[in-house]
Amino acid sequence: MKKTLITSITLIILIIISFTIYWNLPIEITRKSDIKTGNEIIENIESYRTKNYKLPEENDWQTLEQLGLEKDNHAKPVYTKDEKGNYELFYDDGLGGPYLLWNSTEKKWTIDLPKIISK
């Protein structure tokens, strides 16, 4: 009985420590695949901007799909832009945020709420 109790407590402590370590890892490790996909889309958007001298429109799904985005796919980021030529990509997991977010003014991935609100 005593041995079972010690084993159970040890197991619970190990699980708590594992979760604590995982939640404190940098996003570059925990969201590596999402960031890689997002970086490819960012390169495509920047290439589009260079060729067309403007950002793609938020509702032009034919162009956005060519750039790597997909409508209503939580595995792909959501694209928003403003009138000033800034844009964001964020992964909408449906839980209400904060989200994995890339902002063209900050040029880095963060866990935050979107700063550009879609129209």
Side-chain angles (χ1 to χ4, degrees):
M1 178 76 168
K2 193 173 186 180
K3 193 173 188 179
T4 306
L5 182 63
I6 291 173
T7 304
S8 298
I9 291 173
T10 303
L11 184 62
I12 291 170
I13 290 172
L14 284 174
I15 291 171
I16 291 171
I17 289 171
S18 297
F19 276 116
T20 303
I21 290 171
Y22 177 79
W23 286 112
N24 288 309
L25 288 173
I27 59 172
E28 291 81 8
I29 294 172
T30 59
R31 302 292 299 268
K32 183 177 181 176
S33 141
D34 290 336
I35 290 173
K36 181 181 177 195
T37 301
N39 285 339
E40 292 168 2
I41 294 170
I42 291 165
E43 286 178 24
N44 294 340
I45 291 171
E46 290 299 331
S47 175
Y48 179 91
R49 185 195 316 229
T50 302
K51 289 178 187 174
N52 298 293
Y53 305 104
K54 65 176 186 169
L55 289 171
E57 295 299 321
E58 291 179 59
N59 57 2
D60 182 5
W61 282 105
Q62 183 176 2
T63 300
L64 293 176
E65 286 177 353
Q66 291 174 356
L67 299 177
L69 295 161
E70 293 178 24
K71 190 174 187 177
D72 300 325
N73 182 351
H74 295 295
K76 298 284 184 165
V78 175
Y79 166 79
T80 57
K81 71 175 198 135
D82 65 13
E83 316 79 40
K84 299 175 188 172
N86 302 314
Y87 65 95
E88 287 181 334
L89 294 178
F90 67 93
Y91 285 88
D92 184 0
D93 54 12
L95 300 176
Y99 308 105
L100 177 62
L101 170 83
W102 189 89
N103 185 292
S104 65
T105 56
E106 296 172 3
K107 298 196 183 304
K108 66 178 182 176
W109 289 98
T110 59
I111 301 292
D112 203 352
L113 293 173
K115 295 163 185 70
I116 298 174
I117 304 302
S118 184
K119 298 171 190 146

